[in-house]
Structures are given as structure tokens and as C-alpha cells.
Amino acid sequence: MTALKTKLLKPLALFVMATSGLNAQDNTTSITIQVDDNAPVISKHIYGHFAEHLGRSVYDGFYVGEDSDIPNTNGIRNDIVEALKGLKIPNLRWPGGCFADEYHWKDGVGPKADRPVIVNTHWGMVEEDNSFGTHEFLELCELLGAEPYLAGNVGSGTVEELNDWVEYCNYDGNTSMAQWRKANGQEEPWRVKYWGIGNESWGCGGNMTPEYFANLYRQYATYARNYPGIDIKRIASGADADNYRWTEVMMRDVPHHMMWGISVHYYTRTGWPPSGSATKFDESDYFSIMKTCLKTSEILDNHIAIMDKYDPKKRVALVVDEWGSWYAVEEGTNPGFAYQQNSMRDAMIAGLTLNMLHERADRIKMANLAQAVNVLQAVILTKDEKMLLTPTYHVMKMYTAHQDAKLLPLSFESPKYTFNGESLPAISASASKDKDGLVHISLVNIDSKKENIIEIDCTNLDVKDFTANIVVSKKLQDHNTFDNPSTVKVEDFKDFKLKKNKLTVTIPPFSVVMLEGK
Ligand code: AHR
């Protein structure tokens, strides 16, 4: 078979190949699944989300205020909470993003009438009244059953501020911080585990050099203290995309015991500022976005190679705490609000990215889609009292089955998706076995026109039967609207058969399939 060898090629060669010498008709893939006791568990925290004070993510998104006619719990929208419970969100990152480095947490606690009004200089120069602060965010996390991931301000904050925030949240005693928390209505400490130290400190978070930030990180991380009953996990602000020097300096200059993780941000976008409509695109736009998305593998592998050099035992986690698509904003919306629709193309990005994160689960222990509500590759969009679930939501819902399951390594050669003389691997796949013995296989076919046939050898799996779901639609541009919220949804999928331990799946063009075997 002449096809792209997804496992064995060097990352760059993986993504784009000249078509000469390749058989364009070949649309069959054979997947071998290994059962490897040493394979990593896919941490559920790879399925984290992100809620920044950006546009309509928090205000007029998660938070509508107690006086709203929209059903809410202390101002938090009930329908959003219910929908997100379906995604089993393991952690939620807040308050930014770029906003984190201008956020002063003390402005957001205490009686709401006394909280100062601030201006959000990064995102649309809108004024905020701080009615959503630490208590409100931690209540949201409780409602969702998610771990909070707080991002501390290094860019314009102080060490003392961060020290106080950790103490306010986590210390069970009689200090002024603990007393203040109790006076504000929270008797028990929340024991927040995940703390980001800075965000994009190379850019919006302070325009620092990695050498300068490494020193600052050591100082701030020192004063983000452990209190009885909680060992916090400190996550260093990391690189943007291919800024490998940042990771190199941080891994070299920061003692590893001070850093549970280091982050990296990678967005699927074409250039800066982000351009192109979220829903009005042609195949050329689609192909180039798929190519950019698949570049995630190369970016991750290069950061991981640097980390492996300094930390071969993989003690420090790579935390991909911002990923997703970024297009031009929807017409007529505030350019600073990053509000975009979400189509079948985004369903592809979600499936591909999650599969790529799984494959590196021995190093990647956490990731956060940017962002949950009304911003970038959102899983939920709202308009007044209306709410819709995007194609990305539906893919993530199917993929919850992989959370905390053991990775089953795969090897296969992908057929190619060819457009205008360039090729990409058409098929992406990932498999895992959960603690109840259920096997899940997620498959993505990015080919815009061609179905592909996938043959999976199940000999080692001890599985007798499969059921399956699919996210698919008629057009790549299909998306859900407030008038037609169910154009794209999860559907039953039957186009597969299991015979003599060989599972044969016919996967339609631009679709994501999840198979469950028992
Ligand atoms: O998610 C939107 C923004 O993208 C974040 O604020 C920032 O960290 C990144 O540049």
C-alpha cells in the first residue's frame, strides 16, 4: 500500500507531501492496536476548559447576575452548567489569558457594591464591575464538579498578591487572609490545586525574555505556598507555538521540583491578526486550516524533545492550556470579543487535536480548549436566553470516554487527503481502555470528499461487540444556529462490522466517529 506512514515519518514530512508516487485511490487503512502495560493513562485533565474575562465568556456568558430573568444560581446560568456537566469538565482555567496579568484578585471579593470598576484593556476596553470574582468562580467550579485552575498575575501583580491569593483560598487558620475569606462567606478553604504563574509572559503578560521570566518564576513560585492538606501544582507560563527557546531556558534554569508543569499555547489560525470567516470558507481555506492544525504534532514533539533532554523521567508536565481555532470575529460583533461560530471544520480540529494530545499522554497531563463559552472555539454559544451546543461540544462529549483511560498505542498508515497537489494524512485515530474494560476508538476522517475504510485488528482486545456514534453533516460549513440548534449533533453510527476479530469501519468524509467495544 502506498500511503502516508503516520507513525514513522519525521514530523515535517508527516503533514505535507508531494503527491507524486502516491496512490490517490487508496482509501483503506489497517490499524494495529497494541496492549501495552507501560502505556500512559490519558489524564482527564487533558479535557480542561478555559473561561477568560474576554468578550461574552464570563459576563453575559457563564454569569448573568442574580437579577437576570435567565434561570441562574447566584448569577451563574443553569443551562450552561447543565450542558457542561455533559462534558465532565475536569478543570476550568480562569481569569485569563492575557486578562490574568492585569487582574487584581482583591478587587473581586467582598460586598459587590464595594468592588471597583476596572477596564479590560486587552479585550475591547470594556468596563467590568468585578461582580464575578474568586468566590463566584469557585462556586461555578463546584457546580460543574471541576477543579479550578487559577492563573496568577505576574505581569502587573506582586509576589505578595499571589502569596495572599493562595493563602486566602487554601489556608484553614486565623490569619487575616483566612479571616477575610470567612467574613466573605466561605468558612472552609477551597484548597485550590492548580495555579498558573503568569500567562504568555513573552507577550501580553509582560514582554519578558525567558531568562528574566525564569528568575521571576522562581520567586513567584516560592511564595505560592503549600498549606496543610494541599500540595499545589504550579504551572509556569510557557511558550507560544514554536518558541522553543522559551521551553529550553525554563527547563534549564528552573529547578524542576518548583514546576509541576510548563505550558504551551498553540492556536489553529492562519496568521495574525486571525482572519477568515468561521463559516464562509472554501476547500482551500479548509485544507490550510487542517494543515495548521496537524502542525500541532510537530510543535508538541519539539517541546517534548527539549523537556526530555532536561527531564528524561518526565516529572514536569507539558500543559497545553490554550488550544483551538481562531478566525475573524462574526460580522457586527466587537472585534475585541473573539466571538466566532463553530462548524464541522472545528469538529475536525477538536477530534484531531484530542487524538494528538492522547498520543503524547506520557508528557501532556493537562490541556484547555480556548474557550468554553462565546469565545474562539467555544463549546457553547449564547444569545440572550438562548443557548446552543457547537459541533466541538458534540465531539468533546463523545470523547469523554477517553478520560482517565489507559492509552492503547496504535500503528497505521493513513491514506491521504489531497488538494491542489498537497497531501495530508486523512485519518487520525486514538484508542484507550477504561477501568471497566471498555475499549474506545476515536477516528477522524478529514478528507472533504472521500470516505475511508478502516480495518482494525481486535485480536488483543478481548472485545465481542461494538456500538458507535458519529458527528457528521452534509457540508463542511454546517453549524448550529439559535434558530436551528441541531443541524450538527451526535448520531448513531452503524457503518461497521466485526468479523473474526477484524473490525471494518467505513468512515464518511469530514466526520468524527467514536466506537465503544465490550
Ligand atoms: O484565548 C485568548 C488569548 O489568547 C489569551 O488571552 C491569550 O493567552 C492568548 O494569546
Side-chain angles (χ1 to χ4, degrees), residues 50 52-54 93 95-101 122-123 199-200 202 204-205 240 265 267 269 272 321-323 326 338 369-371 375-376:
F50 180 23
E52 179 167 9
H53 286 231
L54 193 181
R93 180 171 181 246
C98 295
F99 180 79
D101 278 300
H122 280 290
W123 306 115
N199 170 76
E200 299 198 348
W202 42 264
C204 65
D240 179 37
H265 293 173
Y267 283 95
R269 56 176 164 76
W272 189 260
D321 55 12
E322 290 185 27
W323 68 267
W326 198 329
L369 173 68
Q371 299 195 5
V375 169
L376 301 178

Side-chain angles (χ1 to χ4, degrees), residues 20 37 47 96 162 167 203 226 238 295 325 327 337 394 466:
S20 62
D37 286 346
Y47 285 79
L162 181 61
E167 184 180 326
N226 282 335
K295 198 172 153 68
S325 58
Y327 312 114
F337 278 16
H394 293 300
F466 278 93

